[in-house]
Amino acid sequence: MLKSTLEALATKDQHATARLAAVTGTVELANLIPPTVSYESRGNLLIIGEQATITALANQFSALNSVTLLATEKSATAEKVENLFFSQAVSVKGYLGAFEVMCRVDGTITDTQVNLATVALGRNSFDIVLDMTAEGVVDTEIPAPGYYAAGRGRAVVADLVEELPAMVGTFDKPKYFRLNPDICAHSSRGVSGCDRCVDACPAGALTSNGHAIEINPYLCQGVGTCATACPTEAISYALPDPDNTQHFVFRLLERYQAEGGEKPTILFYGNRDEQAVVNALSTLPSTVIPVALEELATVGVDTWFSALAYGAHQVLLATNTAYIPATIDRVLADEISIAQAFLTELGYDADRICLFDFADAENFTAYDAALIPAEQTRFEGTKRDKLFAALNLLTQAAEVKPTRSELPANAPFGSVECQTQDCTLCMSCVSVCPTRALHAIGDRPGLLFIEQDCVQCGMCEKACPEKVISMKPGFNWDAESRTEAKVVHEEEAACCTNCGKAFAPASMVKMLTEKLQGHSQFQGEAIRRLSMCEDCRVRDIFAQMESDPESQLKV
């Protein structure tokens, strides 16, 4: 559909001809055989709602294996039907083929909740749920496959009568994400940190078990907001990954310009909006190049700025803004606010990256000039590497040369501050830092910090026993300073009184000696061991045990 529209518009001018050549001649890389998850459905349907409503619907789904009715309100006039249960307290969780419905069924002896599928079918779960309640039993913005909230207007019953009989069998769905827990900033050593991905999921597929992020691939709908919000790339989108998307944009713009096209504007859109894009193309300038994504929110600031660095004059994020679910809208708004803050700090127009509503197509005016000459080599590395590479180029070309800028509070950029007079260099902060932004000097007691690697997860602040570390959100525009390993705090090393080896910060040994000198276990000669290295301390303990066995009771 899009290709035929571009072909029809190709004779409009040279830009339209170049656009067609670029779009049709650039191969998009993707996973040929992506990982999948499978759903098993036997066609056991549960309908929830008012008694009169659901009993009238039961016969329309007779083609399914079974139909169970759960009335949340009784009706004195409704006819009696088989497999009808009553309950006002209902909870539903699961997905196609595996819906667990817990409720207290009216008329039973106990007040405890039961699994309704066990009572009604002798099975552990229902396969499909049709929710006719006005508020909806499940409150996620994007419901799981197999759950239809017709009562809230999210599905049409007449359409479901045709569709649901086909929801029987085995169905495969792509696994949209990759997860690398080794670089996750959510939690470390019992210290909690970043929750961006959990907050960004409109399908309720991401949860925290207190120690790590867990993703339910059966609930995941591939929206991609988790990967966009993740500051460390611990979660990355896989259909395709952003790296392939950025390489595609690079080759697309390269081909467009090679074919004689000028003044390109990149228009990102989700596949579901293809018809809206087709309708808008006849109105938009022929310099606007559409780029399809699985979902609009699967890419973020790194991809948008890479597009500007590769020669795009503007990046449009096209959607029907009135229909964006609240969570997706918030994640996009957060990313756009960061992007536009970067642009305005450099003296550029904020709407070089912006949301684009299809309804405004007739009023759109393209930018005549690029921000910088097109980068001839595509960026490599992590998504942060690519973002910083693009920002460095934009900074070099900008007339305004900021030094440090404030950013929105949720931006994963900034530094840390340390009250060094109270820091004992215990390295608790280093042990929890997910990116090694904070790390030890190594050959002497000291703490180093690389600002570019800090994602502002806050774990160092929470792990510090002296409470001397605090977050400082913002952006350092000096690339050399931002990437330099700076000394946060260092001090003289305490040397072992026995062998002379440096083994700890002098202030820590002093602090421990002062705090423990009154302790019963550190009386007499025992207090000396605090000034020894770990090896000499052990040898001293065993030497004393050998000469005075009763001293073991005092160790």
Side-chain angles (χ1 to χ4, degrees):
M1 182 167 55
L2 178 64
K3 181 180 177 181
S4 60
T5 301
L6 293 175
E7 289 174 345
L9 295 172
T11 58
K12 184 177 180 180
D13 54 35
Q14 181 181 357
H15 305 307
T17 303
R19 178 176 63 183
L20 175 63
V23 172
T24 58
T26 306
V27 178
E28 181 174 3
L29 298 176
N31 300 324
L32 298 179
I33 308 177
T36 60
V37 294
S38 297
Y39 300 90
E40 298 280 348
S41 172
R42 295 172 177 82
N44 295 310
L45 170 66
L46 173 68
I47 307 178
I48 308 173
E50 295 182 2
Q51 182 179 353
T53 301
I54 63 178
T55 53
L57 291 174
N59 290 336
Q60 298 185 52
F61 296 98
S62 58
L64 291 167
N65 185 48
S66 70
V67 178
T68 303
L69 306 177
L70 179 59
T72 55
E73 294 183 24
K74 293 183 179 180
S75 174
T77 59
E79 61 179 289
K80 293 184 178 180
V81 297
E82 295 182 0
N83 233 16
L84 173 63
F85 300 87
F86 299 91
S87 180
Q88 293 184 335
V90 182
S91 67
V92 176
K93 65 178 181 179
Y95 44 84
L96 179 66
F99 282 106
E100 181 184 80
V101 180
M102 301 298 295
C103 60
R104 182 202 176 276
V105 178
D106 286 4
T108 56
I109 298 175
T110 66
D111 287 336
T112 58
Q113 287 200 332
V114 298
N115 184 335
L116 183 61
T118 303
V119 176
L121 305 175
R123 304 186 62 85
N124 292 327
S125 60
F126 292 99
D127 298 303
I128 307 168
V129 174
L130 173 55
D131 188 350
M132 298 301 300
T133 61
E135 298 298 323
V137 176
V138 178
D139 61 0
T140 53
E141 294 172 76
I142 300 180
Y147 176 85
Y148 301 91
R152 297 177 65 183
R154 293 188 175 182
V156 179
V157 173
D159 294 337
L160 295 179
V161 172
E162 301 292 331
E163 295 176 12
L164 292 193
M167 301 300 292
V168 179
T170 301
F171 305 91
D172 292 330
K173 183 198 72 174
K175 190 175 180 180
Y176 292 101
F177 61 87
R178 296 191 186 99
L179 176 62
N180 181 0
D182 291 340
I183 57 174
C184 180
H186 172 65
S187 178
S188 178
R189 301 174 184 266
V191 179
S192 60
C194 174
D195 289 318
R196 296 173 193 271
C197 60
V198 176
D199 295 337
C201 181
L206 281 82
T207 56
S208 169
N209 62 15
H211 305 286
I213 293 296
E214 294 181 343
I215 305 178
N216 187 328
Y218 294 94
L219 297 180
C220 174
Q221 300 299 295
V223 174
T225 45
C226 58
T228 297
C230 178
T232 66
E233 220 165 358
I235 300 178
S236 59
Y237 202 72
L239 206 66
D241 59 61
D243 193 49
N244 283 335
T245 299
Q246 290 183 23
H247 288 178
F248 172 76
V249 172
F250 175 83
R251 295 191 305 274
L252 181 72
L253 288 168
E254 187 177 51
R255 180 67 181 270
Y256 173 78
Q257 292 162 347
E259 295 288 342
E262 298 175 349
K263 305 176 183 179
T265 295
I266 290 293
L267 184 144
F268 287 117
Y269 69 95
N271 281 331
R272 70 185 65 193
D273 286 328
E274 182 175 347
Q275 183 59 60
V277 172
V278 168
N279 296 340
L281 282 176
S282 60
T283 303
L284 292 171
S286 53
T287 56
V288 175
I289 309 172
V291 176
L293 303 170
E294 186 75 16
E295 296 281 353
L296 182 61
T298 57
V299 297
V301 290
D302 55 305
T303 300
W304 306 338
F305 275 100
S306 294
L308 291 179
Y310 295 154
H313 291 198
Q314 188 176 13
V315 173
L316 305 177
L317 311 172
T319 186
N320 291 301
T321 54
Y323 304 107
I324 302 179
T327 297
I328 300 176
D329 184 38
R330 175 174 54 79
V331 173
L332 277 174
D334 288 346
E335 288 287 294
I336 291 172
S337 67
I338 294 171
Q340 294 186 338
F342 284 145
L343 289 167
T344 55
E345 285 296 302
L346 292 171
Y348 299 126
D349 292 327
D351 64 353
R352 290 282 185 161
I353 296 174
C354 64
L355 272 180
F356 173 75
D357 195 325
F358 294 115
D360 296 331
E362 293 185 358
N363 301 320
F364 175 74
T365 301
Y367 278 96
D368 287 332
L371 294 180
I372 56 176
E375 174 65 16
Q376 300 302 308
T377 305
R378 67 190 186 191
F379 302 135
E380 301 290 349
T382 67
K383 70 178 188 179
R384 285 175 74 89
D385 291 336
K386 295 167 189 169
L387 173 61
F388 287 121
L391 289 176
N392 288 342
L393 292 176
L394 289 168
T395 303
Q396 292 169 13
E399 293 183 4
V400 178
K401 303 289 187 182
T403 54
R404 186 175 184 85
S405 300
E406 297 296 323
L407 290 178
N410 59 342
F413 307 98
S415 63
V416 297
E417 292 183 336
C418 178
Q419 301 172 32
T420 56
Q421 70 275 14
D422 296 321
C423 176
T424 61
L425 291 175
C426 67
M427 298 300 163
S428 294
C429 55
V430 171
S431 68
V432 298
C433 181
T435 64
R436 292 198 77 250
L438 283 166
H439 57 280
I441 292 178
D443 58 350
R444 63 188 187 277
L447 182 64
L448 297 175
F449 176 70
I450 300 176
E451 183 170 355
Q452 182 160 300
D453 295 338
C454 180
V455 297
Q456 296 287 289
C457 66
M459 282 197 284
C460 59
E461 184 177 27
K462 295 176 183 176
C464 179
E466 282 79 32
K467 306 302 178 187
V468 298
I469 292 181
S470 58
M471 297 293 98
K472 186 180 178 182
F475 194 82
N476 181 359
W477 291 98
D478 185 339
E480 183 177 350
S481 171
R482 195 176 62 233
T483 56
E484 177 187 0
K486 297 179 180 178
V487 176
V488 175
H489 179 45
E490 66 176 329
E491 63 177 68
E492 179 185 355
C495 295
C496 176
T497 55
N498 191 42
C499 70
K501 181 180 77 172
F503 71 97
S507 64
M508 180 179 289
V509 174
K510 179 182 178 182
M511 178 268 292
L512 290 173
T513 301
E514 291 174 351
K515 285 188 174 182
L516 297 175
Q517 61 186 353
H519 196 282
S520 60
Q521 297 297 317
F522 290 91
Q523 297 304 302
E525 293 295 308
I527 196 69
R528 296 185 302 107
R529 297 184 186 126
L530 294 178
S531 298
M532 297 180 184
C533 68
E534 59 274 19
D535 295 330
C536 291
R537 193 178 306 132
V538 172
R539 282 194 289 267
D540 188 69
I541 289 173
F542 278 96
Q544 185 175 3
M545 286 181 181
E546 183 179 5
S547 62
D548 182 10
E550 291 186 4
S551 67
Q552 298 179 61
L553 301 175
K554 301 177 182 180
V555 175

